[in-house]
Amino acid sequence: MSEGDSSELFTAKHKRLWRIASIAKIFSWIILIYYIFLTVLSVLNFLNISGLRTIENVSTDFFKEAPLLAIQQTLNILKTFLTGSVFFLVLRAITFGLNMIIETDLNYRGKALEEEQ
Amino acid sequence: MRKDYRETVYNTLKERDTEELLDIWQKNDRYEWSDVAFDAIKQILLQRLGEIPEQGEPIYDQEELKTRGEEKSEQEEENEPVFYKPRDVLALELWLNRAAIAMVVIAILINLLNFGNTRRIVLGLFATSRNYVILEWVIALVLTILNIIVGSVIYYFSLKALSSILKILMEMEFNSRSGE
């Protein structure tokens, strides 16, 4: 379907779907940035904890002193990032899905219009 | 020697992006790419995407390539989707599948590491008696396994379903195009 044809057949319903898709797209990026920010904060927090332990002479290496806790913290950081990524992917999928529905409907309407003519 | 050559071709093509390989596969330019290369591309795409799209008619000489390119670009321009890029959708599908696997791995690891906490919770249930140590362990283990299964299933199937929905929608859109 060419751009000219699609603009002629673009109805209010398509516009509504397209608007939702655009909002989902914008939100996907906001959420990704937010979760990256959260991940960076978690990493800084983790580094602070291990740094404090070094200052207090508790340990020189957090991973050696409390390996399970350190691995748990690392996994939680990873989970935060992955959760953000999943939200981003889901919102992107919603964007693409809605856009494909619009495209499909416009294609059928275009075909019907061609046949009429 | 032949096996070495195949391996070299495979390893070289493996370095390329999925999109690039899809492009080569669909163009089906036999003038530029050998049969060995196409075999390798097929294998790589199957590994990465789980399935491969249909190939175009094979091109055997440069003249044909030129003519086909002109014909195709006109037809493609006419049918090109306005609201999305098919390549972006394919890339998203790939990432959804990867994310599904990554979430399962994370769910397993986090729940295994939380086994101690789960056991402490179960320990609270039998605080008055110390005769049920084995039962405590069994309940904690069952709860951990259930946690892993529920967490993994929710993420894995949701993401896989989303990936399949995208694939189906793209196919529906493709079928709705005029002249397809």
Side-chain angles (χ1 to χ4, degrees), chain B residues 9-179:
Chain B
V9 172
Y10 178 83
N11 290 331
T12 314
L13 287 166
K14 212 177 173 184
E15 299 296 316
R16 297 200 182 209
D17 288 344
T18 308
E19 286 176 17
E20 209 179 332
L21 294 178
L22 271 173
D23 195 42
I24 298 168
W25 174 258
Q26 282 173 327
K27 251 188 199 163
N28 203 5
D29 182 1
R30 302 278 166 172
Y31 178 76
E32 194 181 338
W33 298 91
S34 65
D35 289 346
V36 176
F38 276 105
D39 284 345
I41 291 171
K42 188 180 177 182
Q43 208 179 332
I44 296 164
L45 286 176
L46 272 173
Q47 277 170 1
R48 290 184 190 173
L49 303 171
E51 60 179 357
I52 40 166
E54 268 183 43
Q55 279 185 296
E57 286 291 310
I59 297 166
Y60 292 107
D61 57 59
Q62 223 164 10
E63 205 50 46
E64 197 183 344
L65 178 68
K66 213 176 155 188
T67 327
R68 182 89 63 83
E70 282 162 8
E71 271 173 25
K72 213 180 170 189
S73 61
E74 272 174 32
Q75 205 191 354
E76 269 176 3
E77 226 170 80
E78 180 76 15
N79 282 327
E80 193 81 358
V82 181
F83 292 93
Y84 77 100
K85 286 181 186 153
R87 281 182 178 196
D88 289 350
V89 178
L90 285 173
L92 185 68
E93 266 177 49
L94 193 70
W95 280 107
L96 280 169
N97 290 333
R98 285 177 183 168
I101 295 163
M103 285 313 279
V104 170
V105 173
I106 283 286
I108 292 170
L109 290 175
I110 284 185
N111 279 303
L112 283 179
L113 283 170
N114 276 338
F115 179 73
N117 289 337
T118 315
R119 212 181 77 79
R120 266 192 290 278
I121 292 166
V122 177
L123 206 70
L125 296 173
F126 300 95
T128 50
S129 170
R130 297 300 311 135
N131 300 326
Y132 303 107
V133 181
I134 294 172
L135 192 67
E136 279 166 25
W137 277 91
V138 172
I139 292 174
L141 199 69
V142 169
L143 284 177
T144 304
I145 291 168
L146 275 177
N147 270 342
I148 290 173
I149 292 171
V150 171
S152 306
V153 163
I154 288 174
Y155 274 110
Y156 187 79
F157 285 107
S158 310
L159 293 173
K160 277 281 182 187
L162 206 56
S163 157
S164 303
I165 290 168
L166 281 182
K167 219 181 280 179
I168 292 163
L169 281 175
M170 198 159 73
E171 210 175 303
M172 282 164 70
E173 190 280 315
F174 186 78
N175 290 335
S176 72
R177 291 179 197 174
S178 52

